[in-house]
Amino acid sequence: MRVILAEDSTLLREGLVRLLHEEGHEVPAAVGDGQALIEAVEAHEPEIVVVDVRMPPTHTDEGLRAALEIRSRWPSVKVLVLSQYVEKKYATELMTGSVDGVGYLLKDRVAQVADFLDALERVGEGGAAFDPEVVRQLLARTSHTDPLSRLTARERQVLEHMAQGLTNASIAQALHVSQSAVEKHVNAVFDKLGLSHTTGYSRRVLAVLSYLQS
């Protein structure tokens, strides 16, 4: 794939460039701020960008704002966002709407090379990849406001894996159950969240996003 990197840490940026080259990917640009990322996308038309949430000059949300602009201006470009911590606000904003070709990983996950490359490939193919810790924290709600409170423990596990972008087959493998069992749990999630008869939208996406309602 043709990948553009946006990361202000020179050490991490250069390490990722080397890793991607070794894996056979093309990296036409590796930049250190959000504006440079926008300019690089315009110049090189990448398939996917990997971008840190916090970058110069304010180190708040420059990377995320650049990612959202890229999603708006170049819908075919996939986006994998990296963050040092679970930024609930930013993760929620990124996950609101279509999550096809979107990922959100904690930087600790990048150290697990296989996990990072798996997420990169999944997002690059148009799927989703969300860090399990991000999903767990976003799913944490008190019982009186939690729209997922009616779900069983197993159904919540299935939903967590759905939120990470896994297919039913991959969820079955992760939970060591049959695919038909996963399909039953997924349908139960849809039913309990009132999504059984929803048309025109992805029920998987709506199920994942339902807990974002406050």
Side-chain angles (χ1 to χ4, degrees), residues 96-169:
T96 300
S98 172
V99 293
D100 294 340
V102 175
Y104 187 110
L105 292 184
L106 294 181
K107 285 189 175 180
D108 287 346
R109 192 72 54 184
V110 177
Q112 306 299 319
V113 173
D115 289 347
F116 169 71
L117 292 175
D118 175 70
L120 183 74
E121 181 177 350
R122 204 185 316 162
V123 172
E125 292 175 348
F130 291 92
D131 195 287
E133 183 59 27
V134 174
V135 173
R136 276 193 290 270
Q137 291 200 29
L138 290 177
L139 284 171
R141 292 289 188 273
T142 58
S143 60
H144 69 278
T145 61
D146 188 358
L148 310 181
S149 59
R150 297 175 58 202
L151 303 185
T152 66
R154 178 62 86 184
E155 289 163 358
R156 288 181 70 95
Q157 283 184 315
V158 169
L159 181 55
E160 286 186 14
H161 284 79
M162 288 168 59
Q164 293 168 37
L166 299 185
T167 63
N168 287 356

Side-chain angles (χ1 to χ4, degrees), residues 32-67:
D33 64 76
Q35 183 57 42
L37 172 60
I38 297 295
E39 294 170 358
V41 170
E42 192 166 24
H44 299 288
E45 300 181 355
E47 296 169 72
I48 184 171
V49 298
V50 179
V51 53
D52 189 8
V53 167
R54 298 185 175 191
M55 291 198 298
T58 68
H59 293 279
T60 54
D61 62 352
E62 284 83 2
L64 178 77
R65 286 191 281 109

Side-chain angles (χ1 to χ4, degrees), residues 188-203:
V189 169
F190 291 158
D191 184 53
K192 292 180 179 180
L193 296 181
L195 302 174
S196 295
H197 304 292
T198 299
T199 59
Y201 297 91
S202 168
R203 290 186 297 173

